[in-house]
Amino acid sequence: MKKIFLLAAATLALAACDQNNENPDTTPVAVKISATIGESAVTRASGTSWAKGDQIGISSFVGEALTPFVNLRYTTQEGNGAFTGTPLFFYKPMTLTAYYPFAGEEGKAPGTKGIIAADTKIDKQSAENQPKIDFLWDTRKDKVDFSVSKDTVNFVFSHKMSKLTFTFLKSAATTNNQGVVIAKGVDVGDMISYSIEGLGLVGTFNTATGVCAIDENAEARDTLTVSFPKGTVKNEVAQPSLIVFPQTQPDGGNFTLHITTSETDDDGKTLPDQHYKCVLPFSDNAIKPGCHYQFTIQVTKVGLIVGDITIAKWESAREWSGTATIDGDIFNTGNK
């Protein structure tokens, strides 16, 4: 579990406290802020630790109004979880919010009134770019009370996006009752891409509430496609995770997984690309925030087997086992 400490030793605040101790409820007090990525958000979705220069943003509220401390930037210079930034000192009662990654500039709400536009298209899914869309958030609502000398506020960040991970399994040849092969098996090493149809890829992150949502006004749902050289996919080895917005399935449709392979015949001749598909099941027909969905997919030309489905926290995951079957006539060229 990674801890971050935001040191805010404000000399001005301490001096004010000495001079105005007769009225502690209105005296600015120096604050130390610590933050932890909690159990439901053990690591960033890309599987990396804090990096040098990582930044978070902190704002404070009195009632419903922002204080002068708006979108303060705190940075871990060494990537070791020790964050420093503009000194903080507050009057009680206060509400604090914190989010990752920092956006905009200090003193101004990021994005449009604190709402950041983002997308999860394929260029954002690389290991170096995923942290930019792995939105973390927490609030300490009305818990900042320094009249009893509690000068530390602890943030517990949680993931606000969703994570999908796929593991692909090869299949053996299918035979009839007489032992005659009616469909060849599929080697996942022949895969050259997989895609998820029906996703909303464009959306927003509200730094004031922590809510991530797709843009319902954007064009119709899109398809997120992951392409790679043949031979990249290994049997029973999980592929790099994808980060997507929490969302419900499209009206009148499903979240559908498509797989494309480049296979060869018995003589080593490359056949036309083969296509497979299956519907991805989600409870309540929704991809939910903070959840990690793990899918194990067997690629085969016949049959459909759906395994048990379980849901757990981000670090554990919801798991689903099923079969992606040939998309169309199984006796197309190269499928005999």
Side-chain angles (χ1 to χ4, degrees):
M1 185 174 291
K2 298 189 290 292
K3 294 184 178 179
I4 53 181
F5 301 96
L6 298 95
L7 306 178
T11 303
L12 173 61
L14 293 174
C17 186
D18 290 338
Q19 297 169 5
N20 299 286
N21 54 19
E22 71 278 6
N23 188 5
D25 285 356
T26 59
T27 299
V29 180
V31 193
K32 292 180 181 180
I33 300 177
S34 69
T36 302
I37 298 182
E39 292 183 356
S40 62
V42 174
T43 62
R44 296 209 302 231
S46 56
T48 63
S49 59
W50 293 111
K52 289 184 178 181
D54 264 349
Q55 299 175 340
I56 64 174
I58 298 176
S59 296
S60 61
F61 295 79
V62 175
E64 299 299 322
L66 273 169
T67 74
F69 301 106
V70 179
N71 200 32
L72 296 184
R73 184 200 318 258
Y74 273 71
T75 305
T76 174
Q77 301 291 348
E78 300 301 323
N80 58 2
F83 281 68
T84 57
T86 302
L88 296 170
F89 53 97
F90 298 95
Y91 298 96
K92 79 174 192 79
M94 299 299 305
T95 294
L96 302 179
T97 63
Y99 74 94
Y100 170 88
F102 180 86
E105 59 182 286
E106 284 193 304
K108 296 181 180 179
T112 303
K113 297 181 178 180
I115 299 176
I116 300 171
D119 73 75
T120 58
K121 297 176 182 178
I122 192 60
D123 61 313
K124 303 299 193 302
Q125 298 295 342
S126 63
E128 60 270 22
N129 286 334
Q130 275 194 342
K132 300 174 184 177
I133 56 172
D134 178 20
F135 298 118
L136 305 177
W137 187 85
D138 187 38
T139 184
R140 301 289 97 184
K141 183 175 178 58
D142 298 330
K143 293 181 179 179
V144 184
D145 184 351
F146 301 112
S147 63
V148 291
S149 301
K150 293 181 179 180
D151 62 351
T152 299
V153 177
N154 180 51
F155 287 108
V156 181
F157 284 108
S158 59
H159 288 285
K160 296 302 177 179
M161 295 287 273
S162 307
K163 182 166 69 167
L164 310 178
T165 302
F166 293 90
T167 299
F168 297 101
L169 308 179
K170 64 183 180 181
S171 62
T174 301
T175 60
N176 61 18
N177 292 335
Q178 288 73 43
V180 177
V181 174
I182 60 174
K184 293 176 61 177
V186 180
D187 184 351
V188 295
D190 290 332
M191 288 178 57
I192 56 175
S193 71
Y194 72 91
S195 58
I196 307 168
E197 177 188 1
L199 287 174
L201 301 180
V202 177
T204 57
F205 170 48
N206 190 324
T207 62
T209 65
V211 173
C212 292
I214 62 171
D215 183 355
E216 298 287 0
N217 296 319
E219 295 187 18
R221 304 292 184 104
D222 209 338
T223 298
L224 179 62
T225 300
V226 182
S227 300
F228 33 75
K230 182 176 178 178
T232 300
V233 178
K234 305 299 182 183
N235 185 53
E236 298 184 341
V237 176
Q239 297 301 295
S241 298
L242 302 173
I243 299 177
V244 298
F245 282 100
Q247 57 194 278
T248 57
Q249 71 181 26
D251 292 339
N254 298 295
F255 298 114
T256 304
L257 177 71
H258 295 268
I259 295 170
T260 301
T261 62
S262 176
E263 303 172 29
T264 58
D265 61 18
D266 293 337
D267 297 323
K269 180 181 178 180
T270 300
L271 301 169
D273 289 350
Q274 302 294 292
H275 302 281
Y276 304 80
K277 69 177 181 179
C278 64
V279 172
L280 298 175
F282 292 90
S283 60
D284 301 324
N285 299 320
I287 301 173
K288 299 180 180 180
C291 288
H292 178 193
Y293 298 86
Q294 297 185 55
F295 298 94
T296 300
I297 309 293
Q298 185 176 52
V299 186
T300 181
K301 291 180 168 61
V302 295
L304 177 62
I305 303 173
V306 178
D308 293 336
I309 300 171
T310 60
I311 299 178
K313 292 292 186 180
W314 181 280
E315 71 275 11
S316 297
R318 169 186 173 177
E319 300 177 352
W320 181 84
S321 298
T323 304
T325 59
I326 194 74
D327 187 4
D329 186 351
I330 67 170
F331 293 108
N332 283 340
T333 302
N335 291 337
K336 295 182 180 180

